[in-house]
C-alpha cells in the first residue's frame, strides 16, 4: 500500500491522505496565512524523476528575516554630523518553520531526504545535497481583479497563476469553467541546507509532536528574473523616481522630492 502522506495529490500537495484536505478561505484585501503555500521536494522512492516541488502540509509557522547594516561616515571638524550611511552586505538568511511530525512523514522526508520509513537518514550529517523551497503568497479574488492580466510582462514574471482545478471542488467546473486560478507572488529560496531540526520532543502535557526546522538559504529571488546592476528597482532619480531630497539635483523629468508638499498624483 502506498504511503499517502508522501504521495503527492492532484492538487500539488505532498500527500494525498485526509491530512492534506483543503477548504475555502475568505476573500479579503489583507494577506492571510490561509492562502500562503510553502513548497519543497518530497522524498519519493524508486522515482527516476523526482525533481518537483510540492506543497508542505501541517506547517504551523514559516518565518525568515532579512537585514543588513548601514555604516555611518563622519568627518572630523564637521561637528556631530553623519555625512552618509553606506549599506553593507545583507546578512545570510535562515528560514525557520514548524511542522507536525507524522508517523509516515518526518522533516527529512518532507525536504527530499530518505528518512523515516523511506530510508536511513536520521541526522543532518546524512544530508549530502541542498534543496529549494518556494513560498507562494496566493491572492484573493479581490486582488486578482485589481492586479489584472500580467501575462507576457517579463518585469513581473514572479507573479504567476496558480491552478486550483486539481482540488476538484464541487460545482467549480460548472460555475467557473477552466478559470480556477489565483495570482501568487513567488519568493524562491535556492540551495538551502537544513541547519537544525528540533524535536520531535515528547512531553506529558501535549499529545502533538512537532519538529522545528531551520534552513540556511544560499539565494533568494523570484525564480524567473535576471538580476544585475541596472535592475530598475524603484526610487531611481534618473527615472524621475525621487525618494529623497538628497538627490533632487540628479533627478530627471523635472521631478523633485519636496517632503510631501506636492500633492499632485500623476
Amino acid at each position: 500500500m502506498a504511503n499517502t502522506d508522501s504521495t503527492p495529490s492532484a492538487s500539488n500537495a505532498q500527500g494525498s491522505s485526509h491530512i492534506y484536505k483543503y477548504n475555502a478561505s475568505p476573500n479579503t484585501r489583507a494577506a492571510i496565512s490561509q492562502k500562503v503555500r510553502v513548497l519543497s521536494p518530497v522524498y519519493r522512492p524508486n522515482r527516476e524523476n523526482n525533481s518537483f516541488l510540492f506543497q508542505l502540509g501541517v506547517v504551523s509557522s514559516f518565518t525568515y528575516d532579512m537585514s543588513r547594516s548601514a555604516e555611518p561616515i563622519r568627518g572630523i571638524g564637521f561637528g556631530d554630523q553623519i555625512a552618509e550611511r553606506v549599506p553593507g552586505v545583507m546578512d545570510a538568511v535562515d528560514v525557520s518553520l514548524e511542522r507536525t511530525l507524522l508517523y509516515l512523514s518526518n522533516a527529512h522526508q518532507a525536504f527530499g531526504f530518505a528518512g523515516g520509513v523511506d530510508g536511513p537518514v536520521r541526522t543532518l550529517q546524512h544530508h549530502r545535497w541542498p534543496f529549494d523551497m518556494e513560498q507562494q503568497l496566493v491572492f484573493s479574488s479581490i486582488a486578482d481583479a485589481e492586479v489584472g492580466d500580467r501575462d507576457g510582462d517579463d518585469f513581473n514574471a514572479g507573479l504567476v497563476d496558480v491552478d486550483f482545478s486539481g482540488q476538484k471542488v464541487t460545482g467549480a467546473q460548472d460555475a467557473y469553467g477552466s478559470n480556477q486560478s489565483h495570482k501568487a507572488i513567488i519568493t524562491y529560496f535556492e540551495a538551502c541546507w537544513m541547519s537544525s531540526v528540533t524535536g520531535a520532543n515528547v512531553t506529558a502535557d501535549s499529545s502533538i509532536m512537532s519538529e522545528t526546522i531551520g534552513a540556511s538559504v544560499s539565494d533568494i529571488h523570484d525564480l524567473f528574473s535576471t538580476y544585475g546592476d541596472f535592475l530598475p528597482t524603484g526610487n531611481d532619480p534618473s527615472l524621475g523616481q525621487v525618494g529623497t531630497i538628497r538627490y533632487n539635483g540628479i533627478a530627471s523629468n523635472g521631478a523633485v522630492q519636496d517632503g510631501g508638499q506636492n500633492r499632485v498624483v500623476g
Side-chain angles (χ1 to χ4, degrees):
M1 185 175 179
N3 176 3
T4 55
D5 285 332
S6 291
T7 302
S9 67
S11 57
N12 203 41
Q14 282 197 358
S16 52
S17 71
H18 70 270
I19 287 287
Y20 299 88
K21 183 179 179 180
Y22 290 93
N23 208 331
S25 55
N27 283 296
T28 59
R29 299 193 73 88
I32 58 176
S33 61
Q34 296 174 31
K35 299 182 75 67
V36 174
R37 306 172 79 231
V38 179
L39 290 77
S40 68
V42 60
Y43 185 78
R44 295 187 293 164
N46 305 317
R47 294 277 180 162
E48 291 185 2
N49 184 359
N50 193 28
S51 57
F52 302 102
L53 302 185
F54 297 95
Q55 184 182 357
L56 278 164
V58 292
V59 172
S60 58
S61 68
F62 179 87
T63 60
Y64 61 95
D65 296 310
M66 291 182 284
S67 63
R68 68 176 180 181
S69 63
E71 301 176 24
I73 295 177
R74 295 182 172 91
I76 59 174
F78 289 87
D80 190 358
Q81 175 67 31
I82 294 176
E84 188 174 37
R85 295 295 293 263
V86 179
V89 296
M90 192 177 83
D91 294 337
V93 175
D94 294 318
V95 169
S96 177
L97 61 92
E98 186 169 336
R99 180 180 182 272
T100 301
L101 173 66
L102 308 178
Y103 287 116
L104 302 180
S105 176
N106 65 21
H108 300 290
Q109 293 162 275
F111 288 90
F113 299 105
V117 298
D118 288 325
V121 173
R122 296 293 182 271
T123 78
L124 302 183
Q125 297 166 298
H126 304 149
H127 293 191
R128 299 178 58 235
W129 297 95
F131 57 90
D132 292 352
M133 290 186 290
E134 180 178 319
Q135 182 193 54
Q136 298 178 350
L137 178 59
V138 180
F139 284 10
S140 67
S141 296
I142 300 168
D144 284 335
E146 293 200 12
V147 77
D149 186 5
R150 300 292 183 91
D151 290 344
D153 183 358
D154 291 340
F155 195 65
N156 286 286
L159 181 65
V160 303
D161 291 305
V162 177
D163 182 19
F164 288 86
S165 62
Q167 294 183 4
K168 306 294 183 184
V169 176
T170 301
Q173 184 64 34
D174 292 336
Y176 303 105
S178 60
N179 184 24
Q180 298 181 47
S181 65
H182 286 298
K183 296 288 186 184
I185 297 173
I186 299 295
T187 303
Y188 202 82
F189 303 86
E190 181 182 341
C192 304
W193 289 96
M194 199 176 291
S195 55
S196 64
V197 180
T198 304
N201 294 322
V202 182
T203 67
D205 299 328
S206 177
S207 297
I208 297 174
M209 299 167 62
S210 297
E211 295 175 298
T212 301
I213 300 125
S216 300
V217 183
S218 297
D219 196 12
I220 302 176
H221 46 80
D222 73 352
L223 183 59
F224 301 104
S225 296
T226 300
Y227 294 81
D229 200 45
F230 280 89
L231 187 70
T233 56
N235 284 334
D236 186 344
S238 70
L239 301 177
Q241 305 161 353
V242 192
T244 170
I245 61 173
R246 180 158 295 192
Y247 298 118
N248 279 342
I250 63 172
S252 65
N253 303 324
V256 294
Q257 173 59 253
D258 57 10
Q261 303 307 304
N262 184 355
R263 303 298 180 182
V264 178
V265 179

